[in-house]
Amino acid sequence: MKQRYLYVLAAGSLLGLQTLKADEVKVNINENDTIKTYNIDEVIVTSSTKETNDLRLLPGSVSILSPQAISGRQIDALKDISSFVPNLYMPDYGSKMTSAIYIRGIGARSSGQSIGLYVDNVPYLDKSTFDFELNDIQRMEVLRGPQGTLYGRNAMGGIVNIYTLSPLNYQGTKISLSGGNYGAFKVKASHYNKLSDHVGISLSGYYDRNDGFFVNEYNNTRADKEESAGGRFKLDWLIKPNLKAQYTFNYDYVNQRAFPYGLFDKATGTVAPIRINDPSSYERNMLNNSLYLEWKTDKILLSSTTAYQYLKDDMKMDQDYTEKSVFTLNQKQKQYAWSEEVAIRSNHKKNYQWSFGAYGFYNSLNTDGPVIFKEDGLEGVLQKAFDEMVKNPKLTVYGDDKKQIYFPGYFKTPTFGFAAFHQSTYNNLFVEGLSVTAGIRLDYEKAKLNYDSAVDSMKIGVKVGPRPEIVLPVDTRLEGKTSQDFLQVLPKVSLRYQCSPGTFTYISVARGYKTGGYNVQMFGDLVQEYARYDLMNKFMPAMAENYKPSAVEDVASYKPEHSWNYELGVRSELIKDRLNAELTLFYMDIQDIQLTTFAKTGSGRMITNGGKADSYGVEVSLRSRIAEGLTADLNYGFTRATFRDYLAIDRESKQEVNYKDNFVPYTPRHTVSLGLQYTKLLRNCWLDQFTVSAQCSGAGKIFWTEKNDISQDFYAVLNAKAGVRKGAVSLNVWSRNITNTDYQAFYFESFDNSFIQKGKPFQIGAEVAVTF
């Protein structure tokens, strides 16, 4: 029976953060067990090909999820790690395109991202690609705080590194079948094989579906029915003892009804049933190709990562989210992204460790985003706006067949950038155990916008006095291009003192940076504004002289967000082989914070820079091996993120207000997670193994608006899983949200209405797996 190294890593962790020592790996193997149990004294893991510190001594906040933790916590996608990592919050709402991640008050809801994602050393350049099925994961690393020195753009809040299994280290075949309530059904299969001592291949695939959790009472269908499928092919080739290559191909498909939002009554705090009349769905095709090369000697490690990513999606959204026909959006994206990174670092045992690297990328994103104002929108939105603008003559808005107006929009937003970086670590500086790590990155990026947005099928009826109405076409069009350049220097300095083999403290200072970009969803609002201006010029030139429409470059673009991060932490093995602890204190000075707001008519979301903010807090992680086979973990994060200065126009009073001292929205003040897992090898029994795990995770209080008038109080959900194994066959029963906790997953406002998506209800199911 071939050894399955996956379980070496699995047993080496205490449900997450591994206890890493510096000696050897001892393995006890029962050859009769298909899935073996190992007793590990230590596993040494390096976080990346660029890092100059061992992960066990990294002077920063880090959480590691092993295969054991991923399986026990039912982590199927990135959103499932929310709350398990202190101060990390990733709400589950909308569609798979919506992948907002918040760490320590830093996050992005609509455009771009503030937390970076790497899979097998390959960067994912757009958060529309973040939500995919996690299969055959070797480990996940979450590094909190700015990681720009080594990872650059949009790693302002942290970085998530995901590593998949290698067929050179793990061989075998696994097939699993799972089902549950709400029509849940999933099948997964994977095969890992060594063709020779130097070549290994793997092939895996999955299919996943559910009937949805929320009913759209307008047509009595499930509002969020979903299915997805995908697969991975990997080829590992050990060309020479010191030279290896890895080629990986991933494909992922998703088709879902989406955006199950219900109307929220602020006065009563109740959410009305979902009643959406226009199509709301999301379909995505995504593939990734990458080639990784590594050359290692006794002195250096040289690596190259070449990657290509393709994304094609189609989003249909009823943006009034009601049974009325007001306003819809059909956005289609095509993305072609290339990236190349070359890194070289020292690979020896000397006190001085160094790393150099260069990185380049090109991201071509084409968006076709037509906006359609329908019958109710003509009267309730556009006609109202013209009535307020012009009293005489009387202007009447007409659409195609007097039912709708079409606002086509075509946008090309190519982005490219280059970076060079360096990091040095000097150990045993002046005294034994004291080390310093310093790094710097020079990052250049250019973002372009080519836009073509217009009014189609819109007519204006003009009536002056008793004369007959004259109907004139409106031919307003916005066409042009603009660009922005960003040049950033991202330094980082850390001091670490290791007072004993199992305990060290550190302090670090780092510059954080999130790139700027362009809003495209709000061009419908801009075209409306320019259409009104054109009509003023035709019928009221005097009034037009005092009316100045927004400049496209000013409204369409937003600037980078910056921060300085200060962090103090300690990691310690409090009880040898029994209890490990991590404590972190942090403070972030954030400038030009990027916030999602609605355009003037409420017909499009846009990113604006909202002044300054402060974020400070604490993070605590405890990992314990209570008894043989019984482990526990506790993760707690506290974040207080408030505006230091943010001037904005209040939507209700239309007056300028300063939201100073208000909490930054979408950031939970507390995140907490408590997990238990027990595994028992059964002797003298017809079963071989019994496993049970339970996790309670909570988050809150979460303010949903800058005004802080709507919020979600602290809530918690309980998940559990239990299973048995006999030889090659495992049977598990799983459940999520056992207490059926009622909570708000997401809140937003549109057309002066409030909407909420609730969290998913109680789920239960079973899984059978065969491993051989």
Side-chain angles (χ1 to χ4, degrees), residues 218-236:
Y218 179 82
N219 53 18
N220 199 32
T221 61
R222 292 286 179 175
D224 55 336
K225 184 178 180 179
E226 176 185 332
E227 66 175 349
S228 59
R232 177 190 304 122
F233 170 79
K234 180 179 283 190
L235 171 66
D236 277 16

Side-chain angles (χ1 to χ4, degrees), residues 212-278:
F213 302 93
F214 307 101
V215 175
N216 182 2
E217 294 194 358
Y218 179 82
N219 53 18
N220 199 32
T221 61
R222 292 286 179 175
D224 55 336
K225 184 178 180 179
E226 176 185 332
E227 66 175 349
S228 59
R232 177 190 304 122
F233 170 79
K234 180 179 283 190
L235 171 66
D236 277 16
W237 181 19
L238 188 60
I239 303 172
K240 293 182 178 181
N242 63 342
L243 177 63
K244 69 177 182 180
Q246 182 182 89
Y247 170 74
T248 304
F249 174 87
N250 289 282
Y251 173 74
D252 186 81
Y253 169 78
V254 62
N255 187 4
Q256 62 181 140
R257 297 174 188 164
F259 317 109
Y261 304 138
L263 189 64
F264 178 68
D265 189 328
K266 292 183 179 180
T268 63
T270 58
V271 182
I274 301 167
R275 294 190 59 84
I276 298 175
N277 69 317
D278 287 310

Side-chain angles (χ1 to χ4, degrees), residues 741-759:
T741 301
D742 185 11
Y743 65 95
Q744 303 168 6
F746 180 61
Y747 169 94
F748 69 101
E749 296 176 353
S750 178
F751 289 105
D752 297 322
N753 288 323
S754 300
F755 297 91
I756 277 179
Q757 178 174 336
K758 289 194 171 186

Side-chain angles (χ1 to χ4, degrees), residues 562-575:
H562 302 87
S563 72
W564 281 104
N565 182 82
Y566 307 89
E567 187 172 315
L568 173 66
V570 57
R571 266 188 260 168
S572 178
E573 186 179 25
L574 299 178
I575 302 176

Side-chain angles (χ1 to χ4, degrees), residues 64-80:
I64 301 177
L65 287 79
S66 69
Q68 186 185 32
I70 292 170
S71 175
R73 287 188 167 269
Q74 305 175 53
I75 296 173
D76 297 323
L78 203 57
K79 291 177 178 178
D80 295 327

Side-chain angles (χ1 to χ4, degrees), residues 476-768:
T476 301
R477 184 174 184 178
L478 297 178
E479 184 178 12
K481 57 184 179 180
T482 183
S483 64
Q484 300 182 80
D485 294 270
F486 311 113
L487 181 63
Q488 300 291 326
V489 177
L490 303 172
K492 184 175 184 178
V493 179
S494 303
L495 282 174
R496 182 188 70 232
Y497 178 64
Q498 187 174 4
C499 58
S500 69
T503 301
F504 70 88
T505 59
Y506 67 89
I507 185 171
S508 69
V509 180
R511 179 71 162 166
Y513 160 63
K514 180 191 172 188
T515 184
Y518 291 102
N519 300 298
V520 298
Q521 288 188 346
M522 42 63 63
F523 264 83
D525 187 85
L526 264 178
V527 171
Q528 295 173 48
E529 188 176 350
Y530 274 82
R532 291 194 294 268
Y533 178 68
D534 290 343
L535 290 171
M536 283 184 183
N537 276 322
K538 287 182 179 180
F539 302 111
M540 292 161 293
M543 181 180 291
E545 293 179 359
N546 299 318
Y547 180 85
K548 184 177 181 181
S550 303
V552 174
E553 289 76 9
D554 294 338
V555 179
S557 65
Y558 55 91
K559 301 301 180 182
E561 180 177 344
H562 302 87
S563 72
W564 281 104
N565 182 82
Y566 307 89
E567 187 172 315
L568 173 66
V570 57
R571 266 188 260 168
S572 178
E573 186 179 25
L574 299 178
I575 302 176
K576 184 175 177 59
D577 298 328
R578 289 287 183 179
L579 179 62
N580 292 268
E582 181 178 0
L583 172 67
T584 306
L585 304 174
F586 68 88
Y587 169 72
M588 302 185 76
D589 178 1
I590 309 167
Q591 299 180 359
D592 301 316
I593 185 170
Q594 294 174 6
L595 296 168
T596 300
T597 61
F598 275 90
K600 292 180 181 179
T601 65
S603 61
R605 291 191 301 270
M606 57 186 293
I607 307 295
T608 59
N609 295 94
K612 304 175 182 178
D614 293 317
S615 179
Y616 63 85
V618 61
E619 297 163 351
V620 179
S621 293
L622 298 173
R623 307 285 188 272
S624 174
R625 185 167 67 89
I626 301 173
E628 186 68 27
L630 178 61
T631 59
D633 64 90
L634 172 66
N635 298 281
Y636 171 73
F638 168 78
T639 296
R640 183 180 176 85
T642 57
F643 293 110
R644 193 163 72 244
D645 181 28
Y646 175 35
L647 294 174
I649 302 297
D650 181 74
R651 289 175 60 84
E652 295 179 359
S653 67
K654 310 300 181 184
Q655 300 295 317
E656 186 177 65
V657 296
N658 193 336
Y659 291 121
K660 180 182 179 181
D661 298 328
N662 281 16
F663 288 93
V664 176
Y666 301 99
T667 299
R669 197 177 309 174
H670 304 273
T671 61
V672 63
S673 175
L674 174 63
L676 293 170
Q677 180 161 318
Y678 177 68
T679 300
K680 177 68 175 178
L681 291 178
L682 302 175
R683 307 297 182 184
N684 303 318
C685 179
W686 68 278
L687 292 174
D688 294 332
Q689 182 175 288
F690 169 74
T691 302
V692 62
S693 62
Q695 307 83 33
C696 182
S697 300
K701 186 174 188 176
I702 306 170
F703 288 99
W704 298 119
T705 66
E706 291 83 1
K707 195 175 180 179
N708 287 182
D709 56 337
I710 305 294
S711 63
Q712 166 64 56
D713 291 333
F714 181 86
Y715 67 93
V717 296
L718 178 64
N719 301 335
K721 185 178 182 180
V724 294
R725 177 179 60 83
K726 176 63 177 178
V729 181
S730 300
L731 177 64
N732 298 290
V733 177
W734 55 265
S735 60
R736 297 172 183 260
N737 195 5
I738 295 174
T739 57
N740 201 29
T741 301
D742 185 11
Y743 65 95
Q744 303 168 6
F746 180 61
Y747 169 94
F748 69 101
E749 296 176 353
S750 178
F751 289 105
D752 297 322
N753 288 323
S754 300
F755 297 91
I756 277 179
Q757 178 174 336
K758 289 194 171 186
K760 293 178 180 177
F762 168 70
Q763 304 165 60
I764 189 168
E767 176 193 53
V768 60

Side-chain angles (χ1 to χ4, degrees), residues 250-321:
N250 289 282
Y251 173 74
D252 186 81
Y253 169 78
V254 62
N255 187 4
Q256 62 181 140
R257 297 174 188 164
F259 317 109
Y261 304 138
L263 189 64
F264 178 68
D265 189 328
K266 292 183 179 180
T268 63
T270 58
V271 182
I274 301 167
R275 294 190 59 84
I276 298 175
N277 69 317
D278 287 310
S280 293
S281 62
Y282 181 65
E283 183 178 15
R284 182 185 70 192
N285 287 273
M286 180 176 70
L287 66 85
N288 292 274
N289 277 293
S290 65
L291 176 63
Y292 174 76
L293 300 172
E294 181 184 293
W295 181 55
K296 181 189 292 187
T297 71
D298 293 337
K299 295 183 179 180
I300 66 168
L301 187 151
L302 176 64
S303 64
S304 168
T305 305
T306 307
Y308 167 75
Q309 184 174 73
Y310 170 77
L311 176 142
K312 179 182 179 182
D313 67 5
D314 184 351
M315 178 185 71
K316 296 180 177 66
M317 183 183 291
D318 181 346
Q319 289 211 284
D320 59 276
Y321 314 104

